Amino acid sequence: MIFNNRKKNIFLFLSINNILLLCGILITLFFIILALSASFLQGQNIIQNPLESLINPIHQPPNNEHWWGTTGQGYDVFSRTIFGTQAAFKVVTLATGLSLVIGVPLGLVSGYFGGKLDKLLLFLMDTIYTLPGLLLSVTLAFVVGRGIFNAAIALSISYIPQYYRVVRNHTTSVKTELFIEAAQAMGATPQRILTKHLFFNVVQSVPVLFTLNAADAILILGGLGFLGLGLPENVPEWGYDLRLALDGLSTGIWWTTLFPGLAMTTMVTGLSLLGEGLTEFFEPRIR
C-alpha cells in the first residue's frame, strides 16, 4: 500500500503540469542568476562593457571574440543582452511590486467596509482596467519621462486594478465566514481583522498574478523601449536594442535582432509557465 502511494506521488510529480512548472522555475532562476551576475562577469572581463563601442565594430557577425556579434552602433550584442536582463528585472520588480503594494490594501479595505468607498474605488479601478495596458503605459511614459523608476510607474498603473479586483472579490466572500463574525463578536478591531484574519485568506492568488503580470510587463517594457519611451539610451534594454537593429535586418544582419528577441521571448515564456503552474497548484480543480 505504501509502495502504491509512493508510485502515485511520483506520477503526480512527473505529470505534464509539474514539468511545465519546473521548466518555468528553472528558466526564471536562470535569468535571475544572469541578472545578478552580469556586473561580476564584467568585472572578471568575461563580457564587454555594454556601453563601450569597439574600434572596428560595425555589424561583425558572431565570432570567437564577440560570441553574438556586434551592432551597427559598436556594441557587443552578448553584453547588451546580458545587461538587458538586469534592466528588465529592475523595472518589472518595481512595477509589479508597486501595483501589489497599492492594489492589495485597497482591495482589502474596499471589500471589507463596502459602502460608498467601495463603489468609488470599484468605478475607478474598472475605468483603468478597461484601458489597454500598452496604450496606458505609453501615455504615462510621455508624462513621467524616461528612467527605471518612471518606467515602473508607467507599467504599474495598469496592474493595480487586477490586484484590487482579485483581493476585493475574495474579501467580500470571506468576510461573511463564521470565524470573521466570531472575531467581531469578541471585539476585534477592523485593523486586526484585516491584517490577522482576512489578509492571509485572500492573497493566495497574488503570487500567480504577480508572475503573470511580470511576464506581461516585460513585453510592454519592450514595446516602450522600441518606441523610445522606456529607459534612457545609456541603459541596455531589449526593446530599444531591437529598435536600433531594424535597419540592419533588411540587409541580412540577423544577429542584432535574434538574440535580444530570443532573450525576451524565453524570459516571458518562463514566467508564464511559472504563473500557470502556480495557478494549478493553488487551484487543483483547474486540473
Side-chain angles (χ1 to χ4, degrees):
M1 185 70 178
I2 296 176
F3 178 74
N4 290 333
N5 288 334
R6 287 180 178 175
K7 285 180 64 177
K8 183 178 180 180
N9 291 334
I10 293 173
F11 175 77
L12 289 174
F13 180 78
L14 294 178
S15 66
I16 186 66
N17 294 326
N18 285 306
I19 291 175
L20 294 178
L21 175 59
L22 180 61
C23 289
I25 293 173
L26 291 177
I27 293 172
T28 304
L29 282 177
F30 170 76
F31 278 99
I32 291 174
I33 294 171
L34 200 62
L36 294 175
S37 61
S39 299
F40 171 78
L41 293 176
Q42 182 186 353
Q44 299 298 312
N45 296 323
I46 299 175
I47 62 177
Q48 307 276 342
N49 185 334
L51 300 176
E52 183 179 335
S53 298
L54 306 173
I55 297 175
N56 186 20
I58 305 302
H59 288 151
Q60 291 185 15
N63 52 63
N64 292 333
E65 186 178 358
H66 306 291
W67 298 342
W68 291 357
T70 62
T71 70
Q73 294 74 35
Y75 299 126
D76 180 72
V77 175
F78 180 73
S79 302
R80 296 279 297 187
T81 304
I82 297 297
F83 276 86
T85 308
Q86 272 191 348
F89 267 108
K90 286 179 182 178
V91 175
V92 168
T93 303
L94 278 173
T96 50
L98 283 172
S99 55
L100 185 152
V101 169
I102 296 173
V104 170
L106 287 179
L108 278 170
V109 171
S110 179
Y112 181 73
F113 291 104
K116 294 182 178 179
L117 176 64
D118 180 50
K119 293 180 179 178
L120 177 63
L121 288 174
L122 194 58
F123 172 77
L124 178 63
M125 295 299 169
D126 284 346
T127 302
I128 298 175
Y129 191 73
T130 57
L131 300 174
L134 179 59
L135 179 61
L136 180 59
S137 298
V138 168
T139 305
L140 291 172
F142 269 116
V143 176
V144 299
R146 287 182 166 190
I148 290 180
F149 188 72
N150 291 345
I153 293 176
L155 291 172
S156 65
I157 300 300
S158 60
Y159 299 129
I160 292 174
Q162 299 182 32
Y163 291 99
Y164 168 83
R165 289 160 66 98
V166 168
V167 173
R168 176 194 173 274
N169 292 340
H170 285 177
T171 302
T172 54
S173 60
V174 173
K175 73 176 183 179
T176 59
E177 297 289 339
L178 292 177
F179 71 93
I180 299 295
E181 295 179 359
Q184 292 171 337
M186 295 176 63
T189 63
Q191 181 181 358
R192 181 173 178 81
I193 292 175
L194 287 172
T195 56
K196 183 176 177 61
H197 300 286
L198 277 175
F199 178 78
F200 293 103
N201 286 282
V202 301
V203 295
Q204 293 92 342
S205 300
V206 168
V208 177
L209 196 57
F210 186 91
T211 54
L212 296 177
N213 283 344
D216 185 65
I218 291 172
L219 292 175
I220 295 181
L221 176 63
L224 292 179
F226 191 82
L227 295 172
L229 299 173
L231 305 183
E233 294 182 4
N234 62 343
V235 178
E237 196 271 317
W238 294 331
Y240 181 70
D241 286 351
L242 289 174
R243 178 190 180 188
L244 296 178
L246 273 183
D247 294 336
L249 187 61
S250 59
T251 58
I253 301 171
W254 51 269
W255 55 90
T256 54
T257 54
L258 173 64
F259 295 112
L262 190 61
M264 184 187 300
T265 304
T266 306
M267 188 171 173
V268 169
T269 301
L271 287 169
S272 299
L273 290 175
L274 179 59
E276 294 296 334
L278 289 175
T279 300
E280 296 183 0
F281 177 79
F282 287 111
E283 296 290 343
R285 291 173 296 177
I286 295 178
R287 299 174 191 164

